[in-house]
Amino acid sequence: MSDTNPPASPRRFWIPADENVSEADTGEGGAPGFIESVIDTEPETLADAPVSVAAGTSDDTPPSKLRRRKTIIALLVVLGLLLAVGGAVGGVWLTHRGKAAPGATIGGHPVGGMTRAEVVSYLDGLSKQLEFEISVAGVTQRVYGETLGVDIDAEGSAETAFTSWDAEPLLRRLNPWQELPAAIIGSYDVVKLQTYLDGAFKGTPALLPTVTFDEVTATWTANSGQPGFGVSAATLLPALRAAVETGGLRKFSANPTTVEPAVSITAATASADLLNEIIHNLPTIQYQDEPRYAITAADVAAWAVLTPNGFEPRYDLTFNTEAIIAAVEGPLAPLLLIKGSDEFRLDTPDGRDLQLMPGVDGLQVADPTKLAASIATALLAHDGSSLTPEWRTAPHAIKHITAGPYHEGRWVDINLTAQTLIMFVGDDPVVCYRISSGKEKTPTTPGSYQVTDKSESATISGPTWHYTGVVWVAWNRLYGIVGASWRNEFGFPLSGGLIELSPADALQLYTWVSVGDPLEIHG
């Protein structure tokens, strides 16, 4: 093995321009370059090694690194700016998410940053605070929109506004300097506006045409109205609408003119025609396919309500359901009642409480309010429909009655109040029947009588009636108990003075009673 070491690789060091390097070191007059050292022998330390310096260049120069470093820094700055802008936009978006855009206005009123509920609440309050100034012939009045018939649809306005704002591009929507206008949706009652103008400016009100019902001919007719003089609502309405919807000028001027009625005679005639069509196609209330009550033309006249539309020169026809309910629960109730029968109990002189006749429950309209709504709907449809309401049990009543004076043996008791006939043997009732006694104008006369005659097939006559082949049990020459084949219901005073029984009940009485038996008639 040789004792000599292989030549050492030269080592190169960069000498910056500001370093103090001698010309002798670089061989290039002290210019910056590389120091190349060659260690010929292996010194004990690097400091002991001889160093030689030579100038040189390299393909991978440090200036290229500097340029890359500057480019990276510039890109990082741009990225930072983009992140900052994006963060700001995102922050604004998060802040206004679910809210009106910063530059949003509705009807000229700024609502930026409000939630939908807050916009609705704001518009509800605005409806009562909108104030207008109206001048007519030198007279100026300040008045709130509510008095003029202005009604802001807060829910509808907010819904429409938010829909339009959400459709805007994001940057446009989030730009606080970008105004995003939306209109207020409102309704305007022309009749109310005209009423205010007539009163405030001393105008002569126009008279509306009338629609009346003639009870004799059962027809509806329209009668002309009369023009007034003053400020016409129609002339102010466009400016009023613009002021509300877009926040326009709230000061108006007008001159008095002829004011036409808010409803035209043509429209009134159309309403009369409609009512005439309705009363020729009236609905019927029924039970199990059997008619119980047919609505009448007079009912329609009592329930019909014609109201000026307020927005168009016509009447709106409705039916007063409260009045219909009152009728169903009042005068129509007996006509709609599916009648049952009362339970009769006899209070005897010796203290007994005897059942004479069991009761039967009836039926009545279960929900008068629901039936009234059905009637109103059927009248407006004017198709002659049949209405079948829901029914509920009408509990039967328990009536305690008395008889007498009592007799021994067989006798007959007739109670005009209870509308009953009881056959007695002494103190004991045998059977009880329902009767129809004389009505108010032809009452049955109370008293103590005896049976004077009876026939299984009699002919009887009165001033306005004549019957043959009827069961007849008389208490005098003119009056008696008759089997009334012409009567379907008993228990009500409906006769001309006789006591009417069903033919079957009358035959039972005829078979049981004898001439001379006592007969008591009392209230």
Side-chain angles (χ1 to χ4, degrees):
M1 176 179 292
S2 172
D3 294 335
T4 61
N5 293 322
S9 300
R11 299 186 181 181
R12 300 157 63 90
F13 301 93
W14 175 255
I15 304 300
D18 58 350
E19 290 291 335
N20 187 14
V21 181
S22 67
E23 180 179 349
D25 294 331
T26 63
E28 298 291 340
F34 290 100
I35 298 175
E36 185 177 272
S37 67
V38 179
I39 302 177
D40 296 327
T41 60
E42 185 176 8
E44 292 183 4
T45 64
L46 183 62
D48 297 328
V51 177
S52 64
V53 179
T57 61
S58 171
D59 295 333
D60 186 17
T61 60
S64 298
K65 292 182 179 179
L66 287 174
R67 285 194 297 273
R68 283 202 304 272
R69 191 176 297 129
K70 291 178 180 178
T71 302
I72 291 171
I73 292 172
L75 290 174
L76 290 175
V77 170
V78 172
L79 181 60
L81 290 174
L82 290 175
L83 289 175
V85 172
V89 171
V92 173
W93 180 78
L94 288 173
T95 301
H96 287 82
R97 185 172 58 176
K99 299 179 180 180
T105 63
I106 186 164
H109 305 276
V111 292
M114 291 187 184
T115 64
R116 188 185 302 259
E118 289 171 339
V119 171
V120 171
S121 177
Y122 174 76
L123 292 177
D124 279 333
L126 184 65
S127 183
K128 300 178 177 62
Q129 297 170 5
L130 279 177
E131 192 174 20
F132 301 87
E133 185 177 292
I134 302 176
S135 299
V136 176
V139 178
T140 299
Q141 298 279 358
R142 297 184 67 85
V143 60
Y144 287 106
E146 195 173 27
T147 305
L148 299 179
V150 176
D151 183 23
I152 292 177
D153 180 2
E155 291 283 353
S157 299
E159 178 66 27
T160 302
F162 271 84
T163 300
S164 67
W165 294 330
D166 291 344
E168 293 285 347
L170 181 61
L171 292 180
R172 177 179 167 85
R173 189 169 7 133
L174 298 181
N175 184 353
W177 297 279
Q178 177 64 57
E179 183 178 355
L180 299 176
I184 290 177
I185 299 173
S187 60
Y188 307 86
D189 189 333
V190 179
V191 174
K192 193 170 184 179
L193 175 59
Q194 189 63 64
T195 301
Y196 167 78
L197 293 173
D198 290 339
F201 300 104
K202 309 302 180 184
T204 302
L207 299 180
L208 293 172
T210 59
V211 180
T212 57
F213 178 68
D214 187 328
E215 294 183 3
V216 177
T217 61
T219 56
W220 292 83
T221 56
N223 307 289
S224 298
Q226 181 177 330
F229 184 78
V231 181
S232 174
T235 62
L236 289 183
L237 188 58
L240 180 64
R241 189 189 300 272
V244 173
E245 294 178 356
T246 62
L249 187 65
R250 295 183 195 157
K251 294 184 178 181
F252 316 119
S253 297
N255 295 316
T257 60
T258 299
V259 178
E260 294 296 327
V263 176
S264 67
I265 183 60
T266 302
T269 301
S271 296
D273 292 342
L274 174 59
L275 285 164
N276 283 323
E277 188 173 349
I278 287 173
I279 63 177
H280 286 96
N281 296 278
L282 292 168
T284 300
I285 303 171
Q286 63 181 21
Y287 170 72
Q288 294 184 345
D289 298 327
E290 293 185 2
R292 295 298 304 177
Y293 181 74
I295 306 298
T296 67
D299 292 331
V300 174
W303 303 336
V305 179
L306 288 173
T307 308
N309 177 268
F311 308 105
E312 298 179 16
R314 61 179 174 83
Y315 283 120
D316 289 331
L317 172 63
T318 57
F319 288 93
N320 187 339
T321 53
E322 295 297 326
I324 300 175
I325 292 170
V328 169
E329 294 179 335
L332 298 187
L335 303 175
L336 295 174
L337 178 67
I338 311 299
K339 295 177 182 177
S341 56
D342 297 332
E343 176 183 350
F344 288 103
R345 304 189 69 87
L346 177 67
D347 296 330
T348 64
D350 57 5
R352 290 178 295 167
D353 178 12
L354 305 177
Q355 186 188 63
L356 296 173
M357 187 180 298
V360 177
D361 290 338
L363 293 173
Q364 61 188 7
V365 174
D367 190 343
T369 300
K370 188 174 181 180
L371 176 59
S374 298
I375 291 173
T377 301
L379 288 172
L380 288 172
H382 52 86
D383 55 5
S385 57
S386 296
L387 306 176
T388 302
E390 297 176 4
W391 302 88
R392 64 179 176 85
T393 299
H396 69 269
I398 299 176
K399 292 186 177 180
H400 289 264
I401 63 174
T402 58
Y406 282 69
H407 298 268
E408 295 182 357
R410 296 185 179 188
W411 63 282
V412 177
D413 181 88
I414 296 175
N415 190 317
L416 300 178
T417 301
Q419 293 287 291
T420 57
L421 181 150
I422 307 172
M423 295 186 293
F424 278 91
V425 175
D427 293 344
D428 298 318
V430 177
V431 68
C432 179
Y433 298 131
R434 298 181 191 279
I435 65 168
S436 283
S437 64
K439 55 192 173 185
E440 184 177 359
K441 292 183 178 180
T442 55
T444 302
T445 305
S448 296
Y449 305 98
Q450 290 182 338
V451 176
T452 59
D453 188 19
K454 69 175 189 173
S455 172
E456 189 175 356
S457 181
T459 298
I460 57 176
S461 299
T464 59
W465 45 268
H466 179 81
Y467 301 110
T468 60
V470 297
V471 176
W472 176 252
V473 177
W475 66 77
N476 62 32
R477 187 172 63 84
L478 297 177
Y479 292 96
I481 304 165
V482 62
S485 58
W486 55 89
R487 185 78 61 205
N488 293 322
E489 288 184 301
F490 297 89
F492 307 95
L494 300 171
S495 80
L498 302 180
I499 298 298
E500 297 178 343
L501 286 173
S502 71
D505 293 345
L507 186 59
Q508 291 290 331
L509 175 66
Y510 164 81
T511 303
W512 182 84
V513 78
S514 299
V515 173
D517 286 346
L519 190 150
E520 298 289 343
I521 302 176
H522 58 92

